Amino acid sequence: MEKAQQSVGGGSSNSSSRSSSRATSAGSSPSSSGRGLVPGSGRGTQQQQAVALAAAGKLDGGAATQASMGGRDQQQKQVIKGVLSKYTNLLQGWQNRYFILDFDSGILQYFVTEASKNQKPRGFLSLAGSVISLSDEAPNMIVVYSANGEVYKLRAGDSKELQFWLSQLQACAKYHTETKSSLSQRARSLSLLPHGTSISSSPGSQRHLAHSGPSVVTITHHKSPAAARRSKNQNPAHLHEVKESGPPEAEDELTDTEDNEEKDLGVMDDQRSVILHLISQLKLGMDLTKVALPTFILEKRSLLEMYANFMAHPDLFLSIAAGTTPEERMISFVEYYLTSFHEGRKGAVAKKPYNPVVGETFHCSWDVPKDKVTPRRTHSACVQAKETNTAQVSDSESYKVRFVAEQVSHHPPVSCFYCECKEKNMCVNTHIWTKSKFLGMSVGVSMVGEGVLKLMEYDEEYIFTLPSAYARSILTVPWVELGGKVNITCAKTGYTATITFQTKPFYGGKVHRVTAEVKHNPTNTIVCKAQGEWNGTLEFTYSSGETKVIDTTKLSVIRKKIRPVEKQGPSESRRIWENVTNALKSDDIEAATEHKHQLEERQRTEARQRASINTPWKPKYFIREGEGWVYVNPLWKTH
């Protein structure tokens, strides 16, 4: 690592040997840059005046004087590079990281080492709207609170380095915050938010700027600078939020303590009259997508989070890749698939999750102990521990599974989610269009779309569909059942699976029944059969004659990890629905209804404004490919 030096009257004093904080000036020779590289030398130099100007908030591109470099036009040309310690929960402590602060874009990015600076950055922060302050939590510590809820905890090597980075970060944040505010005011007439709402406060906002003034590119973390430049060059007169290229880092995530089980006993008398009134206005087969349903039937989570809860057994998910043969891997996938629904659909009472607003996102992760990921035949069928708290499991002892979901469309309502484990070289990409219909005394929801599981180690692709869901007895004690036939296919290996979720007959019969059959098509051989209840006991019979019973109620649950609401971005599910959820927890249906109405009205207003200027909504994490949606930077593209 190079040492940064300060040159004062011909003398010099060493800065921290762990930092190479160099400010380079675009368009100038190295020798003319105050903190540029001296030609033929590996050492950087720094003019005392550059620090003074930076501390005063006058970013001059590292020139000796502001006037000599064209005044304020050169403010955005400076680049600061060097090593700082960054606190991360993933590694349980402080780790040295190589940082680059680009004044032109207002972006702070970091890499694992200086040698990796030409690779994809480990993380990004836009300093526009950020607050940078000192902290006494640790010596020489700076905390960066970004506008999107991200928090970076940084430490400098000594007090001089601390003051230098603090002044540079604060000055950059101040400049881009003021610039963004000024541009936002000029672009108010084109904003897709109600008047008086800040651009960064709404997940459903499109960023539009007037053609006057410079453009600002806001980059969230995990995006390459090249992509940011492409976004800026393609539409230089607009403010863009550049898509992230990977799930957010799990920093600041804590083990989730929310209990999603609904304990309501059914529809109360006063609520029944509301439902009867609603039913009187509906026709059989009517699409319920645009029908505003009463608040008291809502459960306290978003549909996006419900999809994440289907991953409550990530150990079974990772065990798919542990199979030694194509047959084992397909059977393992079927076992995981059949055991995933009971935890995502908790509670006996049927309640409806929140309809995600367009642009809403949900992020979480799981730490999966490596000793729980085993080939299929060594799985424990009934694990006694109901829940597994992996908060204390170290990185070396566990796999990291990351999940991101986004509502990419409101009409029709399309949700997408992507989940990956880099260590196991596997990921799943899914898009779902929920189509709900009124069926008399029940409501049916079709899950139109498909998911794709990719096992990169074996170059295998498993395409699967999802069952329909039904809310029965909506006037008494509503309950949920699944129905329909789904398929899982792997074209490369020739294995397929057919799973049938059976609805209860009108007279007699059992509820929640499911059957499955795994077949090797080239030989027309059935290698596995399964039957039972998807929220109870499942019995598997294999071609070898072996059998196995899995009791889903006794499977261990690995709780997801999620950032606290106060640290989430404005577009994240729990942040968006916080007021509604709190009101429902307090049984204040009136307040919950009001907060829900405000969210719906804001979404309608933004949709009308987008339509008025013919600007379609652009999702952050997913892109349209044919009839489906694909994550912007899936694991198979980087494998």
Side-chain angles (χ1 to χ4, degrees):
M1 185 63 65
E2 298 170 347
K3 296 182 181 180
Q5 294 182 333
Q6 291 182 332
S7 177
V8 182
S12 66
S13 62
N14 287 337
S15 179
S16 169
S17 62
R18 57 184 295 284
S19 174
S20 57
S21 299
R22 306 184 298 273
T24 60
S25 176
S28 61
S29 65
S31 60
S32 68
S33 175
R35 289 180 61 84
L37 297 177
V38 177
S41 170
R43 295 181 178 271
T45 61
Q46 172 191 359
Q47 297 290 345
Q48 186 71 22
Q49 186 178 9
V51 178
L53 289 173
K58 299 177 179 179
L59 309 179
D60 62 320
T65 64
Q66 190 172 14
S68 66
M69 293 300 293
R72 197 168 180 84
D73 289 341
Q74 293 295 326
Q75 287 179 344
Q76 296 175 290
K77 301 300 182 182
Q78 195 173 19
V79 177
I80 305 297
K81 304 177 182 180
V83 173
L84 292 170
S85 290
K86 182 177 184 295
Y87 184 80
T88 169
N89 288 338
L90 292 176
L91 297 175
Q92 299 297 316
W94 296 94
Q95 300 294 321
N96 285 349
R97 294 291 181 257
Y98 187 76
F99 281 80
I100 297 179
L101 173 61
D102 186 351
F103 286 98
D104 184 40
S105 61
I107 301 302
L108 177 67
Q109 56 183 319
Y110 72 93
F111 305 81
V112 176
T113 63
E114 182 178 10
S116 64
K117 66 182 179 181
N118 293 323
Q119 301 174 9
K120 184 175 70 174
R122 178 67 173 164
F124 286 83
L125 271 190
S126 169
L127 295 186
S130 297
V131 176
I132 294 95
S133 62
L134 293 172
S135 172
D136 57 3
E137 184 178 332
N140 303 318
M141 179 173 167
I142 301 172
V143 183
V144 181
Y145 302 91
S146 73
N148 69 356
E150 293 277 348
V151 178
Y152 278 11
K153 296 180 179 180
L154 311 174
R155 283 181 62 184
D158 54 38
S159 58
K160 289 183 178 180
E161 185 179 321
L162 171 72
Q163 184 56 45
F164 175 76
W165 276 100
L166 178 66
S167 62
Q168 298 286 348
L169 290 167
Q170 287 180 334
C172 185
K174 179 181 178 182
Y175 174 76
H176 283 279
T177 300
E178 292 175 348
T179 303
K180 183 176 180 180
S181 176
S182 175
L183 293 173
S184 297
Q185 290 298 323
R186 292 197 295 270
R188 180 65 66 184
S189 61
L190 290 179
S191 174
L192 298 183
L193 295 176
H195 182 71
T197 306
S198 101
I199 283 182
S200 62
S201 66
S202 170
S205 62
Q206 291 286 325
R207 277 82 168 168
H208 286 276
L209 299 182
H211 286 268
S212 61
S215 63
V216 181
V217 180
T218 302
I219 303 180
T220 50
H221 62 288
H222 294 284
K223 187 63 182 180
S224 69
R229 290 193 295 271
R230 285 196 300 269
S231 176
K232 181 178 179 181
N233 293 335
Q234 288 167 0
N235 206 343
H238 290 77
L239 174 67
H240 293 275
E241 181 170 286
V242 179
K243 300 184 183 80
E244 295 186 5
S245 62
E249 292 183 50
E251 297 179 14
D252 298 321
E253 286 186 342
L254 303 174
T255 302
D256 188 22
T257 58
E258 288 289 333
D259 185 358
N260 293 311
E261 189 162 358
E262 298 290 337
K263 299 181 174 62
D264 303 61
L265 298 178
V267 178
M268 310 302 291
D269 289 338
D270 57 339
Q271 298 173 348
R272 187 175 292 109
S273 63
V274 175
I275 295 179
L276 282 170
H277 176 70
L278 179 62
I279 289 176
S280 68
Q281 304 176 60
L282 303 177
K283 296 180 181 180
L284 285 177
M286 184 175 178
D287 184 3
L288 299 180
T289 302
K290 298 184 180 181
V291 177
L293 300 177
T295 306
F296 58 77
I297 71 168
L298 298 178
E299 60 176 287
K300 297 178 283 290
R301 61 174 175 171
S302 171
L303 179 64
L304 300 184
E305 181 170 358
M306 189 186 80
Y307 291 141
N309 290 341
F310 287 140
M311 290 291 299
H313 306 306
D315 51 329
L316 297 184
F317 173 70
L318 297 184
S319 294
I320 299 171
T324 57
T325 66
E327 178 180 323
E328 276 205 30
R329 291 190 289 274
M330 173 59 84
I331 293 175
S332 294
F333 188 16
V334 172
E335 291 180 356
Y336 160 73
Y337 187 95
L338 290 176
T339 57
S340 64
F341 293 98
H342 80 102
E343 192 66 26
R345 189 64 272 167
K346 292 195 69 170
V349 177
K351 286 207 165 187
K352 181 182 178 301
Y354 306 139
N355 280 337
V357 301
V358 67
E360 180 179 331
T361 63
F362 184 82
H363 308 274
C364 65
S365 67
W366 293 265
D367 289 330
V368 185
K370 290 183 177 180
D371 59 6
K372 292 178 68 67
V373 180
T374 57
R376 174 180 61 82
R377 298 191 188 280
T378 59
H379 281 167
S380 175
C382 296
V383 181
Q384 295 303 311
K386 178 61 181 173
E387 291 180 351
T388 300
N389 187 333
T390 60
Q392 302 302 318
V393 178
S394 69
D395 283 347
S396 62
E397 299 172 343
S398 66
Y399 297 113
K400 174 64 71 174
V401 177
R402 300 183 188 277
F403 178 95
V404 57
E406 180 178 13
Q407 190 72 7
V408 298
S409 172
H410 185 58
H411 291 304
V414 179
S415 307
C416 300
F417 65 83
Y418 171 83
C419 186
E420 73 174 25
C421 178
K422 292 183 178 179
E423 298 97 323
K424 299 294 287 183
N425 285 323
M426 62 188 299
C427 62
V428 61
N429 185 98
T430 306
H431 62 93
I432 303 170
W433 171 15
T434 51
K435 299 178 66 175
S436 54
K437 289 186 177 181
F438 176 61
L439 304 175
M441 289 297 102
S442 63
V443 174
V445 180
S446 299
M447 312 286 260
V448 182
E450 67 178 23
V452 180
L453 169 69
K454 289 180 179 284
L455 304 180
M456 270 69 73
E457 182 178 352
Y458 305 101
D459 192 28
E460 293 175 355
E461 184 176 278
Y462 298 76
I463 300 175
F464 61 94
T465 54
L466 296 167
S468 297
Y470 299 90
R472 308 295 193 187
S473 305
I474 58 178
L475 279 179
T476 54
V477 181
W479 55 281
V480 170
E481 69 172 343
L482 302 178
K485 182 179 292 186
V486 301
N487 298 293
I488 303 173
T489 61
C490 180
K492 179 180 179 180
T493 65
Y495 282 93
T496 62
T498 301
I499 302 173
T500 303
F501 292 86
Q502 301 169 356
T503 56
K504 183 182 180 300
F506 190 78
Y507 292 107
K510 296 182 178 180
V511 296
H512 310 312
R513 296 289 297 174
V514 62
T515 59
E517 184 178 274
V518 180
K519 186 177 182 180
H520 185 234
N521 288 308
T523 60
N524 200 31
T525 304
I526 296 175
V527 298
C528 176
K529 287 187 175 182
Q531 63 176 348
E533 295 84 34
W534 56 266
N535 60 352
T537 301
L538 295 162
E539 181 178 352
F540 294 83
T541 303
Y542 309 107
S543 57
S544 62
E546 293 180 84
T547 61
K548 180 167 69 173
V549 175
I550 297 179
D551 187 345
T552 62
T553 64
K554 293 182 179 179
L555 285 174
S556 63
V557 173
I558 298 179
R559 282 188 172 268
K560 61 182 178 290
K561 301 181 76 172
I562 186 171
R563 284 179 296 169
V565 174
E566 61 271 15
K567 293 186 178 181
Q568 292 186 10
S571 67
E572 295 187 59
S573 294
R574 290 193 180 179
R575 180 82 170 270
I576 289 176
W577 296 98
E578 180 180 17
N579 292 332
V580 178
T581 300
N582 290 339
L584 289 175
K585 287 180 177 179
S586 302
D587 292 324
D588 191 341
I589 301 301
E590 184 176 348
T593 301
E594 177 59 28
H595 289 306
K596 176 174 173 285
H597 175 72
Q598 291 175 3
L599 286 173
E600 293 168 342
E601 280 302 306
R602 187 177 74 184
Q603 184 170 221
R604 293 187 188 103
T605 299
E606 293 169 0
R608 286 193 296 269
Q609 291 176 334
R610 286 196 299 272
S612 68
I613 57 177
N614 195 28
T615 301
W617 170 254
K618 293 182 180 180
K620 180 186 294 184
Y621 298 110
F622 293 85
I623 55 176
R624 190 72 180 263
E625 286 193 4
E627 296 298 315
W629 294 82
V630 178
Y631 187 62
V632 292
N633 193 25
L635 201 56
W636 68 80
K637 288 186 179 181
T638 58
H639 178 66

